[in-house]
Amino acid sequence: MFGHEEMKFDIMDLKQRILQEASPLLFEMGPVAMTMDMVARSCGISKRTLYGQFPDKKSLIRECMALDHDNTAAEFKKIFDGASNCFEALFGVFSFMRKKLASMHISFHDDIKRLYPDLYCSLHKENDQRRVMGLASVLSNAQNEGLVVEGINTQVASFLFFATIKSLHRNSQIAEYEFTQIDVFDGAFINFLRGVASHKGLELIECYLKKNINNRYK
């Protein structure tokens, strides 16, 4: 009985190790360039062992993206737990996501959508409403702190923000204007926050920009 439990632990440990190795490869190289051979070599295992844990590349990508979602949620919690107000927390989330986007392969979302449309749709269906409602809750708390203008429908504002963010998934369209994804992300976030901010909130935004983004959006 003990041996069976020990084997089960080893298998779960192997699966997590594969995910830890594969996830950075997936996001930095993209789903096209990342191969199962590459993942197996990175983990120091055979392809047979890899396929024993993940029957195909799609299943590996799905679990890598689920792991990334969980890790991001944990990072957000840490940011909010350490923030003194909602805008400080949002600035922390913005900085974290900005770094994450900078390290992500430029056509990552385009490639996922093209190669695995069902996976792309299912992930967004599961997460879109959660993101909108989560941001709406933060904005409501920011209203109580006097950082967001009273009377703004926080759910509508949040929906519009994430609708804009989805433009980051249309890399070819962005490229036509010679923008980078970081340009679009910066503009979407800063302009969104300015649009809902009270005078007190605007002061915090300008202070953050002076310290972190060199007055780029002044």
Side-chain angles (χ1 to χ4, degrees):
M1 181 69 177
F2 175 78
H4 174 74
E5 290 299 320
E6 184 176 39
M7 183 181 298
K8 182 178 179 182
F9 173 79
D10 289 342
I11 289 172
M12 292 303 294
D13 183 62
L14 174 60
K15 187 172 185 178
Q16 290 304 311
R17 184 159 65 89
I18 292 170
L19 289 173
Q20 293 293 339
E21 290 288 335
S23 290
L25 292 175
L26 172 63
F27 288 100
E28 291 170 16
M29 303 184 69
V32 176
M34 187 196 78
T35 66
M36 296 297 269
D37 279 328
M38 190 182 297
V39 173
R41 285 197 303 271
S42 180
C43 295
I45 60 176
S46 67
K47 282 181 67 177
R48 181 177 180 179
T49 300
L50 175 59
Y51 280 110
Q53 298 299 311
F54 300 96
D56 52 38
K57 186 175 177 180
K58 180 179 179 180
S59 65
L60 176 58
I61 289 174
R62 178 187 294 110
E63 294 209 37
C64 283
M65 294 180 73
L67 175 64
D68 178 71
H69 177 270
D70 291 344
N71 289 342
T72 298
E75 187 63 30
F76 283 3
K77 184 179 186 304
K78 187 187 303 183
I79 290 169
F80 274 87
D81 287 347
S84 59
N85 59 65
C86 288
F87 270 25
E88 183 180 324
L90 288 174
F91 296 148
V93 167
F94 169 64
S95 296
F96 171 79
M97 292 303 297
R98 197 173 188 271
K99 291 176 183 177
K100 184 176 177 181
L101 185 62
S103 66
M104 185 181 293
H105 190 274
I106 192 168
S107 63
F108 178 83
H109 290 290
D110 281 343
D111 289 341
I112 292 291
K113 187 175 183 178
R114 176 173 57 84
L115 296 170
Y116 309 108
D118 56 332
L119 175 58
Y120 179 88
C121 291
S122 66
L123 287 169
H124 281 280
K125 185 176 181 181
E126 291 173 8
N127 296 323
D128 280 358
Q129 187 172 11
R130 189 180 308 157
R131 292 189 183 107
V132 168
M133 299 308 293
L135 179 56
S137 177
V138 174
L139 294 179
S140 293
N141 290 334
Q143 282 178 323
N144 294 333
E145 295 172 342
L147 301 176
V148 168
V149 175
E150 292 184 12
I152 286 179
N153 186 319
T154 58
Q155 290 185 22
V156 171
S158 299
F159 172 82
L160 292 173
F161 171 69
F162 283 111
T164 303
I165 286 296
K166 280 192 176 181
S167 64
L168 294 175
H169 301 180
R170 297 191 290 272
N171 182 63
S172 59
Q173 191 174 33
I174 292 173
E176 291 178 8
Y177 293 90
E178 299 184 352
F179 298 145
T180 67
Q181 291 185 327
I182 294 293
D183 289 333
V184 176
F185 181 67
D186 285 354
F189 176 81
I190 297 301
N191 290 327
F192 159 74
L193 208 55
R194 278 176 167 165
V196 300
S198 65
H199 180 72
K200 180 181 176 181
L202 287 171
E203 289 179 346
L204 291 181
I205 294 169
E206 299 311 309
C207 181
Y208 173 81
L209 291 176
K210 286 178 182 178
K211 290 180 179 178
N212 296 279
I213 314 189
N214 301 320
N215 293 323
R216 187 173 184 179
Y217 297 96
K218 289 203 72 176

